[in-house]
Structures are given as C-alpha cells and as structure tokens.
Amino acid sequence: MTRYQRLATLLAQRIEQGLYQSGERLPSVRALSEEHCVSISTVQQAYHLLEEKQLITPQPRSGYFVTPRKAAPPMPAITRPAQRPVEITQWESVLELINGRLDRDNLQLGSGTPDVSSPTLKPLWKIISRIGQKQDLALLNYDNIYGYPPLREQVARLAIDSGCRLSADEVVITTGCHEALSVAIRAVCQPGDIVAVESPTFHGTMQILRGFGIRVIEIPTDSVTGISLEALELAFEQWPIKGIVVVPNCNNPLGFVMPDARKRALLTLAERFDAAIIEDDVYGELAYDYPRPITIKSLDVDGRVLLCSSFSKTLAPGLRVGWVAPGRYFDRVIHMKYIVTGSSAMQTQAAVAEFIRQGYYQPHLRRMRQQYQRNYDNFSCHVRHYFPCGICVTRPCGGFLIWIELPEAFDTVRLNRELHASNIQVAVGSLFSASGKYRNCLRLSYAMPFNPRTEQALATIAAAIESAMERCSLLPAAEPGTAQAVESRAGAKG
Amino acid sequence: MTRYQRLATLLAQRIEQGLYQSGERLPSVRALSEEHCVSISTVQQAYHLLEEKQLITPQPRSGYFVTPRKAAPPMPAITRPAQRPVEITQWESVLELINGRLDRDNLQLGSGTPDVSSPTLKPLWKIISRIGQKQDLALLNYDNIYGYPPLREQVARLAIDSGCRLSADEVVITTGCHEALSVAIRAVCQPGDIVAVESPTFHGTMQILRGFGIRVIEIPTDSVTGISLEALELAFEQWPIKGIVVVPNCNNPLGFVMPDARKRALLTLAERFDAAIIEDDVYGELAYDYPRPITIKSLDVDGRVLLCSSFSKTLAPGLRVGWVAPGRYFDRVIHMKYIVTGSSAMQTQAAVAEFIRQGYYQPHLRRMRQQYQRNYDNFSCHVRHYFPCGICVTRPCGGFLIWIELPEAFDTVRLNRELHASNIQVAVGSLFSASGKYRNCLRLSYAMPFNPRTEQALATIAAAIESAMERCSLLPAAEPGTAQAVESRAGAKG
C-alpha cells in the first residue's frame, strides 16, 4: 500500500467511526500534511481517492466535506424458517444461476466466483508450465484414491491455522468442495434421513441433499452469531436428525463468523444427540481478521466433524481441488469418493501442492483478503448511497458475499428477470431455502475489483428496487397505476 | 515397424496359423532372404526376435525349429450366474486392489491402467506447458456445467467413428468415465431399483450400483458374443428392470466385441421392456480391428442409451476427462453432475481438446492399438507356455485385459495373497460378481510393454497355480501332505 492509500484508509476509518461527521469540513491539506508528516501531494492524492469513493465532496474554495449520507442500514434479524423437515426443489432456478455464468456480457453479481486475475496467482501458471516440461508420468496415471500425497501434507499443514491438528493421512482430496460435501453427506446419511441446516443455506448444499433424497430442517440463523442453538436443540428433540451442515466461518450467504463459544456449544449439542457435523470451511481462509477463525473440527474429540473445503475460493475454482477431513467417517468417505469419481485430476493437485510448497499461498491469501475487504468498503458505501431506506444489509467478516433483505413483500425473482435486460445477474434469496423463504432477499458478490460498471450496476439495481417498491406501495411515494403494478406482480408470483 | 519386425510378425502369423507346425524345421536364412527379398541379417534379426518370444528354438548346426508347444487353451464357456437380484458387497477387496497401485514395487497385473509412456503422448505435455504460458484466466474459473465447449465438440466428432451422430450439445463432460457411469446410473435409477449387468462386470460399476442402493441381476455372458439375450429376456419378464449396464466393445473383463446384430437385438429388447441402456465404451477405441466397432448408441432412435466413456484408457487416467451422451436423460444427468462434483477441472479438459484438435489423437490411438495387440501376442504366448493345462483364456478383441478361468474349485483370492510375497498383483475374479462367483478366475493386464520381469511374473503365477492345483488334487500328480494343504485352503476360504 502506498503512503497516500494508507492515509486515505485512515481518514475513511475516521469517517466510519464518526470522528469526522456527516457534512463536517475536513482538515485543510496543509494541516493534514503536517499532522502526518507527508507531502502536500500525498494528502491531495488521498483526498482524491476518498472523493472517488464518494466518502468526501469538494466544495469550491472551501475545501473537502464529509459526504452527507444515510446511516448504515441495519443487519437482517434472525431468520424464522418453518420448523419441520421439507423436500428440496429449486433445481431449475439453480441451473439458471449457473448458466448465467455462460453469458460473458453479464455482470455476474450472483455467482460465488472469486477474482482469479491477481498477480499473486502468476506463479501458479509458471508451475503448470513447468509440470508440462518435467513430464512426470505419475501425473498421467490414476491418482491414489486418498489424493496426491504431497498435497495432502500441505492441506494438513494449512489446517494448523484453523486450530486443527491433522495428519496427512486424515485428509482426502476431492474434486472441489462440491465433491467433499457430496461424499461427506453420503457418508453420514441414507436417503430419507433428516439433516439440519442453517437458514439461509448455500444452494449447492441444498441440491446435494435433494439429490440423495435427504430431507432438511432449516434452523433460524442470526446474521452475527450464526445458527440458533436453541432452535436446533428443539429440532433435535423433535426429529431424528442425522447431521448438521454448517458454514460457521464467513458464512455463505450471511457472512458471519460464529463466535468460538457458540462453535463449542454447537459441538456439545451434536455430541449430546450423537449427530455428525458437516463443516463447510470454503471461505474460512478469507476472513478479514488475522489470525483466521478456528474451525469446529479443531474442537472435535471423537471424530464426528467432517471438515470440507477447497481452493476454489482462495485460488481458483477451475482447478477443482478440494478436500475433506472426515474423522471417524473416513472409510465411508473413501467408498463414496470411489463411487462418484474414483480419483481426482493429478496435474491440478500437483500444481496446487507446489504453489503452497514454494511459499506463494500465504502472500496470495493476504492480498485477496485485503482486496475483498477493500471491495466491501467500496461496495457497501455505494449500496448505502444508492439503495432505498428500509432494507437490511449484512456486514461480512470475510469472503466476498453480501446479503440484502428487502421488505417482506418484495419479489427478487421478478427483479432478477428485470435486471436481465441490463445484463446484470444477482442470486435470488429463494435459492437458499427449501421452504420457499427469502424471496425478498438477494445475494451479491463483490469479488471483482470495484469499477464504474459495478457502480452503474448497483445504481441500476437500486433504481429497479425503488421502482418496484413504489409499484407495490412499499415506499411512501404513490403514483397513478399502482394497483395495476401490484396486480402484475401478483401474476408473476403465481 | 522396421523390415525385420515386419518379417518376424509374418513368420509368427504363419506359426500361429499352423503353416509351420509345432517342432517343424523353419526355412533356412538364405531361403527366407530370397523369398522376401531382404538381406541375410534382416532374416537373422527376425529369427532372433522370434527366439526371444520363444516361438522358435535354434538347434546347433541344424537351424531354427518351431518351439514345441501346447495348443491354445480354450475360451471360457458362457457364464451361469444366479438368476435373482442381489446386493453388492466386495468393497474391501476393491479397495485392496486400488491400494495395490500405491506400492511401486508391485508388478500391477491387476489394474486397468494403460501405458502412459508412449512417445505419441509427448505433445500432450507440450500443450500443458503452453497452457501455463498462455495464462487464459477462463481456465481458472468455474467450468460450464456441461463441460468445456471445444472439448464437447471434439468428443462429438470422435463419436462419428463409432457410428454416432452427436452434436456437441448432447455431450456432457465428466470427471472420468467413473463419474459418467455414476451420474448415468443415478439419472436412470432410484435406490432399491433393479439393474441388469453382464456377468462378470467391471467392479467399479458394481460399487457405483451398490453405493446408490441398487440391486443387480447378473446375466450370463458369453466370452465371444456378450450378454445372453435369452437370459436377459427371461429376467425382464420376471423383474422390473430399470436399466442394463453393458460394455459391448472390448468388454471388461472378457474382451469380446458384441456382434452388431446382437447389439441391435439388445436395443430392441430394451425398447420392448422400456429400459435404459448404460453403455460403457471406455475401451471401444482400442479395438484391434479398424474401423472401430459401432456403439449401441449409434443405433438408438429414442434416446434410451446413455453412452459413457473417457480418455482414461486411450490417453491417461490422471487427466480425469470423461463424458456421457445421455440422450433423453440429459437434464437428469446435469442435475446429478451438479450434485456430485459441480464441474470438472478446466486445464485437463483444455489440454485434451487441444491434443485432439492438433491431430495427435488418431496417431496415438493407432500406436496404442498396435502396441496392445503386440503385447497380447507376447503375453498369450507365454501364458500358453507356462500355465498348466485345464484352464480357459479369453482372446480379447481390443484393450489390454485378459480373463483366465481356472478349475472350478480354485481359489484366486488365496493365490493373490501368495503372489503378494513376490510383489505381483492380479485382479481376483470375485470382484466382478455380486453373487460370489468367479473365485476361480483372474483378470490380468498386458498394457505395459512385455519385458523379462513380466515373463518372470507369468512364470511365478503359473508355478503358484500349478502348486495350488497339486495341493488340491486338481492336477493328476499327488504327493504326501495333500490333505493338509486342502485343509489349510479350506481354512483360508472360511
């Protein structure tokens, strides 16, 4: 970070903390230059940066002022899903979301794709090129079913950061976290079983559960503290729950990191009712705070936690390199892996192992954490600027996903269809529930560096939301034709 | 092929066809040199080669003679498995076979691994290296769920050789043929359903069926004409069979290519009873006869055939690039693929697509077909030489797998354990049945170039078989201690 960027960050923090209040005049360039022992031009550059971010506004011949703005929107309240096991559907909507990736013209704010253009990924390409030159025949042969041994070792080492003491022998490499979750769920459950999930839950997990004929019970989940242990306990008392699928670190889609005490309490609950915990940690290494949060797996003493993760969010999803540390379910997981893919692609495993071994992984992670945090600042600042009042927005502790809750009656499926004309794709909230909830919610990704197109897209989304809210009388402003708009909306819903 | 190799092949054929009979004196070097218009040294080199292969024996001052040898062993008769659906087990034995690959000291005659050391594969490495240099960010991103478009196109083009008219849109790329089979089976069946399979059947297919809770009915299968249509029809009349899994081309493990008329009859039968056909064509391109045999898929008119294949046997299994052309089950297959892996590794898909596009695939295939056929000649010649009488051996039409049937009471599980001490691994026949059949059978691979170590291994296997047969009085020779040997064998079986 250059000097002026550091200064800008500091000033932005002061604004965020209220030291410089909305509408207040900022110190003169000269004063700041003296205070921070930097040149005049450094201060000017810092101010320009803040101006770009719309945090401050210049006024001719008066200096810079804190941009008058709305207060930060509130966080979503704890969710209240139906308290009974349900069948999962929604596949068509998930497929629509996935296929949205195919359209290069789309601005994909709905997808969970990371930014793979970082210069810290360059060494990975060099390693791939060197693999081509070295011609190690072992990389053309069938993989060991457990995974490429040097990669298993690196994964076990990385797990130390999350408080886990794993040996390489306890790690199974998979084709992405998707396969990890798939084999973990199948190792624990039979068709017809009941599994508890956070609500909202990642749509991929939902579809895996559906595909294996497993019913889910959605547990209310708080956007700061995570799954409600009280509701989970009640569910345990009422239903024969085989396992719990949770994303306790940098939750998808809510962004929270579950406090350690609650992680411990969740494990105790699982022990009491003898349920397995399938822990999806795929965003865990992208937590903004360092050191990274611990996993529930790190607290596990009797092997009931199946830790699933991958390099899809931290490095690149196209590598399809994931893993699972399945504890006592190791043998069943190996059998399930044999059944679904047999083994994983060797070259990408070798490339990732070498990337970590040569020390490129941690610097890359650091950079991505910073980038995503910076993107978040920009993104949330613009959401605050453009979006109407009366919405709730999460404050993610890591990763690159934000969850927006619109008024109860809002229909994001229709909004998404409208945005399609502007080549913008969002993830509609209903994908994240099996019981038809969250139709009034959106998940947006801020993985890509913030640029004018992103800003334009946020403005377009905000305008579409505002006009829909007006149509449905969700905003005070009323206009002729409201009744008709409401009617057409009801039609779209049916 | 050099001049002397061509001559040697010709002479070997004449010996095989009985033109030069067992023990007969061969033409003098000068006579052959004149007959074929080649130099004296070319004939001498050809004779040396045949001597190495033990097809001919030199006698001092008398010239070369055809090595006296046993007649070719008979082919196995049609199999007679139990005529009712059974549950599949055997996972532990499959795992043992897979893990045998991890021991580098082992001579792996049991594994279905191809030879990946051919110089015709070198361009693949160059392409991988160039992928590293080009740094196409799309290869780091999530794959299109249907697969990498240029690869889908190449696969559709290759399918023309098997008589299929597929468009790229009908092809779904998978993580190896294993995932192709897995998603195809799940697209057709629900847990508890019944599927008909050839008997013996590839153990991977068996485990996939088991993993999804599907029962199998094993249909008698002939080592020349394939699955018995008569037995299959009876089974259809008796049981609600949802689908049939077959390997009609270069069958694993029996090596047959099903005659076209029988392929047609099988499809008609499936149509009559409205069952799906899951066609595993993974060895189809390695048929020794050119042009390659047609697939059942090529005859399909109503989309009931799901054609599964991969580049694992033709190029390299470590790439994990397979595909399925699922016909009318397309949508279900996509859903199942999303559930098990989401998408496949991008770089290996791109590498394979480029390898085919640049025209390297067909020359590679030609070379591998020739190599495997040559290996087979060598291998079968030595099996004939070393193995005791009273065994049946298949004559594969392609691929690199041979199936050996020993007398009914023989126990290959015990034999495999004994061979472990000599670092030799074979695939025991019982892996290929769900109803406990084929304990007296072996599957051997001749993928690797024949060398003295292979010959030594065949001699060791033959000796172990012979001594076991003597112990169990399966051979005429009796010796003291036979009773004890039989007893200990019974113990091993229990």
Side-chain angles (χ1 to χ4, degrees):
Chain A
M1 217 188 268
T2 63
R3 199 167 289 178
Y4 81 90
Q5 284 169 329
R6 260 201 306 276
L7 179 59
T9 307
L10 181 86
L11 295 173
Q13 275 168 2
R14 287 185 180 175
I15 293 169
E16 185 74 27
Q17 291 158 359
L19 291 179
Y20 304 135
Q21 293 203 345
S22 176
E24 192 184 331
R25 186 174 180 277
L26 287 155
S28 71
V29 171
R30 181 164 307 273
L32 270 185
S33 149
E34 280 164 15
E35 182 190 342
H36 295 282
C37 301
V38 293
S39 69
I40 295 285
S41 81
T42 301
V43 178
Q44 282 169 333
Q45 278 179 296
Y47 271 171
H48 280 306
L49 196 63
L50 293 174
E51 192 189 334
E52 268 173 26
K53 289 189 181 180
Q54 303 192 327
L55 284 172
I56 64 174
T57 319
Q59 286 185 11
R61 276 190 293 273
S62 313
Y64 283 93
F65 289 77
V66 177
T67 309
R69 60 193 180 114
K70 304 165 194 170
M75 308 264 283
I78 188 162
T79 59
R80 292 263 165 240
Q83 273 278 8
R84 53 176 183 76
V86 288
E87 304 277 348
I88 301 153
T89 53
Q90 300 275 8
W91 165 238
E92 288 68 26
S93 314
V94 173
L95 188 62
E96 197 181 306
L97 178 69
I98 298 168
N99 284 342
R101 292 199 299 239
L102 304 184
D103 188 348
R104 298 273 162 133
D105 292 336
N106 265 355
L107 183 68
Q108 283 149 32
L109 296 176
S111 157
T113 310
D115 180 12
V116 294
S117 66
S118 166
T120 47
L121 268 185
K122 295 262 176 201
L124 187 66
W125 290 112
K126 272 198 198 130
I127 288 165
I128 290 166
S129 175
R130 230 168 290 144
I131 283 174
Q133 284 153 19
K134 274 174 103 182
Q135 311 199 354
D136 177 3
L137 289 189
L139 298 188
L140 290 186
N141 250 319
Y142 278 112
D143 181 23
N144 173 333
I145 190 165
Y146 308 105
Y148 183 59
L151 180 61
R152 296 172 80 197
E153 237 163 70
Q154 295 298 347
V155 167
R157 264 185 221 160
L158 290 178
I160 295 170
D161 287 346
S162 74
C164 277
R165 280 191 205 167
L166 288 178
S167 81
D169 290 347
E170 293 169 271
V171 175
V172 178
I173 305 297
T174 56
T175 303
C177 189
H178 219 100
E179 191 190 18
L181 287 167
S182 187
V183 296
I185 287 168
R186 279 292 280 148
V188 168
C189 304
Q190 295 296 320
D193 282 349
I194 301 172
V195 158
V197 297
E198 293 154 334
S199 180
T201 279
F202 166 49
H203 48 78
T205 302
M206 285 286 195
Q207 292 303 318
I208 294 170
L209 291 165
R210 176 196 173 176
F212 294 129
I214 294 161
R215 282 173 305 158
V216 298
I217 178 152
E218 301 176 294
I219 307 294
T221 300
D222 185 84
S223 60
V224 174
T225 58
I227 194 165
S228 160
L229 300 176
E230 303 68 30
L232 182 61
E233 187 171 359
L234 271 172
F236 266 128
E237 279 161 4
Q238 239 180 317
W239 308 99
I241 294 170
K242 274 286 184 68
I244 317 155
V245 186
V246 282
V247 191
N249 294 321
C250 314
N251 177 271
N252 175 6
L254 294 180
F256 59 79
V257 167
M258 216 175 157
D260 290 356
R262 292 186 72 88
K263 284 176 182 157
R264 240 173 239 118
L266 175 60
L267 182 61
T268 308
L269 205 56
E271 282 164 1
R272 209 175 105 209
F273 290 95
D274 196 22
I277 295 180
I278 294 159
E279 180 179 21
D280 175 357
D281 189 52
V282 79
Y283 292 95
E285 285 182 313
L286 293 175
Y288 302 149
D289 280 346
Y290 193 82
R292 59 148 290 165
I294 61 165
T295 50
I296 300 175
K297 179 78 181 174
S298 71
L299 308 167
D300 183 26
V301 287
D302 62 359
R304 71 176 60 247
V305 181
L306 300 95
L307 178 66
C308 302
S309 193
S310 81
F311 294 102
S312 296
K313 306 302 178 184
T314 50
L315 288 179
L319 300 168
R320 307 313 294 137
V321 178
W323 68 89
V324 48
R328 64 160 89 149
Y329 298 93
F330 190 91
D331 293 343
R332 297 254 322 138
V333 157
I334 288 296
H335 194 194
M336 291 304 133
K337 182 183 167 182
Y338 181 71
I339 284 162
V340 297
T341 56
S343 60
S344 302
M346 283 293 273
Q347 284 163 51
T348 49
Q349 289 187 71
V352 172
E354 199 53 21
F355 186 83
I356 305 172
R357 198 189 65 75
Q358 293 185 14
Y360 293 117
Y361 187 62
Q362 293 299 349
H364 171 71
L365 265 191
R366 264 199 301 279
R367 187 194 160 95
M368 297 318 292
R369 274 197 296 261
Q370 283 167 5
Q371 175 180 322
Y372 293 141
Q373 191 164 15
R374 222 167 30 240
N375 289 357
Y376 168 68
D377 290 344
N378 257 317
F379 206 86
S380 67
C381 163
H382 285 86
V383 164
R384 203 181 292 163
H385 181 76
Y386 287 111
F387 278 47
C389 292
I391 61 167
C392 301
V393 182
T394 53
R395 288 178 210 149
C397 302
F400 43 77
L401 301 169
I402 204 169
W403 180 256
I404 296 175
E405 196 181 297
L406 300 164
E408 192 65 37
F410 200 92
D411 178 10
T412 56
V413 174
R414 187 179 170 196
L415 173 74
N416 198 26
R417 237 175 270 140
E418 285 172 13
L419 290 172
H420 197 71
S422 315
N423 285 323
I424 299 168
Q425 195 199 29
V426 300
V428 299
S430 50
L431 293 178
F432 300 81
S433 167
S435 58
K437 286 195 58 95
Y438 312 122
R439 209 174 159 96
N440 60 322
C441 298
L442 282 185
R443 193 194 70 178
L444 298 181
S445 160
Y446 51 85
M448 299 307 149
F450 199 86
N451 60 30
R453 190 174 172 205
T454 328
E455 182 173 349
Q456 180 53 48
L458 284 183
T460 307
I461 297 172
I465 290 175
E466 206 141 349
S467 92
M469 280 165 86
E470 274 168 19
R471 272 203 307 271
C472 312
S473 319
L474 296 172
L475 275 185
E479 50 173 9
T482 304
Q484 191 202 334
V486 168
E487 199 178 57
S488 82
R489 181 168 171 279
K493 231 183 161 179
Chain B
M1 218 190 267
T2 64
R3 198 166 288 181
Y4 80 90
Q5 284 170 329
R6 259 201 304 275
L7 179 60
T9 306
L10 182 85
L11 295 172
Q13 276 171 359
R14 288 185 179 177
I15 293 169
E16 185 72 27
Q17 291 160 357
L19 291 179
Y20 303 135
Q21 292 206 342
S22 177
E24 189 183 332
R25 188 174 177 277
L26 287 155
S28 72
V29 170
R30 180 163 309 272
L32 270 187
S33 148
E34 282 165 11
E35 182 188 343
H36 295 283
C37 301
V38 294
S39 70
I40 296 286
S41 82
T42 299
V43 178
Q44 282 169 333
Q45 277 179 298
Y47 271 171
H48 280 305
L49 196 64
L50 294 173
E51 192 188 337
E52 266 173 29
K53 290 190 180 180
Q54 303 192 326
L55 283 174
I56 63 174
T57 319
Q59 284 187 13
R61 276 189 295 272
S62 315
Y64 283 93
F65 290 78
V66 177
T67 310
R69 60 193 181 112
K70 307 163 194 168
M75 307 265 280
I78 189 163
T79 60
R80 290 265 167 240
Q83 274 278 12
R84 52 175 186 79
V86 287
E87 303 277 348
I88 302 153
T89 53
Q90 301 274 11
W91 165 237
E92 289 66 28
S93 314
V94 173
L95 189 60
E96 200 180 303
L97 178 70
I98 298 168
N99 283 341
R101 292 199 299 239
L102 303 185
D103 189 347
R104 298 272 162 133
D105 293 336
N106 265 354
L107 185 68
Q108 284 148 30
L109 297 175
S111 158
T113 309
D115 181 11
V116 293
S117 67
S118 165
T120 46
L121 268 185
K122 295 264 177 199
L124 186 64
W125 290 112
K126 270 196 201 131
I127 287 166
I128 291 167
S129 177
R130 229 167 294 146
I131 283 174
Q133 284 154 18
K134 273 173 105 182
Q135 312 199 359
D136 176 4
L137 289 188
L139 298 188
L140 290 185
N141 251 320
Y142 278 111
D143 179 24
N144 175 332
I145 190 165
Y146 309 104
Y148 183 59
L151 180 61
R152 296 172 79 198
E153 238 164 69
Q154 295 299 345
V155 167
R157 265 185 221 160
L158 290 177
I160 295 170
D161 287 346
S162 74
C164 277
R165 279 192 207 168
L166 287 179
S167 81
D169 290 347
E170 293 170 90
V171 175
V172 178
I173 305 297
T174 55
T175 302
C177 189
H178 218 102
E179 192 191 16
L181 287 168
S182 189
V183 296
I185 287 168
R186 279 293 277 147
V188 169
C189 305
Q190 294 297 317
D193 282 349
I194 302 173
V195 158
V197 297
E198 292 154 335
S199 181
T201 278
F202 167 48
H203 47 78
T205 302
M206 286 285 198
Q207 291 303 318
I208 292 170
L209 291 165
R210 177 197 172 180
F212 294 128
I214 293 161
R215 284 172 305 158
V216 297
I217 180 151
E218 299 175 295
I219 308 294
T221 301
D222 185 84
S223 60
V224 174
T225 58
I227 194 165
S228 159
L229 300 176
E230 303 68 28
L232 182 60
E233 187 171 2
L234 270 174
F236 265 127
E237 278 162 3
Q238 238 179 319
W239 307 99
I241 293 170
K242 274 286 185 66
I244 319 155
V245 186
V246 282
V247 191
N249 294 321
C250 314
N251 178 271
N252 175 7
L254 294 180
F256 59 79
V257 168
M258 215 175 157
D260 289 356
R262 293 186 72 87
K263 283 176 184 157
R264 238 172 240 118
L266 175 59
L267 182 60
T268 307
L269 205 55
E271 282 164 2
R272 208 175 106 209
F273 290 94
D274 196 21
I277 296 181
I278 294 160
E279 179 177 24
D280 176 357
D281 188 54
V282 78
Y283 291 95
E285 286 183 311
L286 294 175
Y288 301 150
D289 280 346
Y290 192 83
R292 59 148 293 167
I294 60 164
T295 50
I296 300 175
K297 178 78 182 174
S298 71
L299 309 167
D300 183 26
V301 286
D302 62 358
R304 68 176 62 248
V305 181
L306 300 94
L307 177 67
C308 301
S309 193
S310 81
F311 295 101
S312 296
K313 307 302 178 185
T314 50
L315 288 178
L319 299 169
R320 307 313 294 135
V321 178
W323 69 89
V324 48
R328 64 161 89 150
Y329 298 93
F330 190 91
D331 292 343
R332 297 253 325 137
V333 158
I334 287 295
H335 194 193
M336 290 305 136
K337 181 182 167 184
Y338 181 72
I339 282 160
V340 298
T341 56
S343 59
S344 302
M346 283 292 276
Q347 284 162 50
T348 48
Q349 289 187 73
V352 172
E354 199 53 21
F355 186 83
I356 305 171
R357 197 190 64 77
Q358 294 185 14
Y360 293 117
Y361 187 63
Q362 294 299 349
H364 172 72
L365 264 190
R366 266 199 299 279
R367 187 194 162 99
M368 297 319 292
R369 274 197 296 261
Q370 283 167 6
Q371 175 180 323
Y372 292 141
Q373 190 163 16
R374 220 164 36 238
N375 289 358
Y376 168 69
D377 290 343
N378 258 316
F379 206 88
S380 67
C381 162
H382 286 86
V383 164
R384 201 181 292 165
H385 180 76
Y386 286 112
F387 278 45
C389 293
I391 62 167
C392 300
V393 182
T394 53
R395 287 176 211 151
C397 302
F400 43 77
L401 300 170
I402 204 170
W403 180 257
I404 296 176
E405 194 179 298
L406 300 165
E408 191 67 34
F410 200 91
D411 179 9
T412 55
V413 175
R414 188 179 171 197
L415 173 75
N416 198 25
R417 238 175 267 138
E418 285 172 14
L419 290 171
H420 197 72
S422 314
N423 285 324
I424 298 168
Q425 195 200 26
V426 299
V428 300
S430 50
L431 292 179
F432 299 81
S433 166
S435 57
K437 286 194 59 94
Y438 312 121
R439 210 175 160 95
N440 61 321
C441 298
L442 282 184
R443 193 195 68 179
L444 298 181
S445 160
Y446 52 85
M448 299 305 148
F450 200 85
N451 60 28
R453 193 176 170 204
T454 327
E455 180 171 356
Q456 180 53 47
L458 285 182
T460 307
I461 298 172
I465 289 175
E466 205 142 349
S467 94
M469 280 165 90
E470 273 168 19
R471 273 202 309 270
C472 313
S473 318
L474 296 173
L475 277 184
E479 51 173 5
T482 303
Q484 191 202 332
V486 169
E487 199 177 55
S488 82
R489 181 171 170 283
K493 234 184 158 179

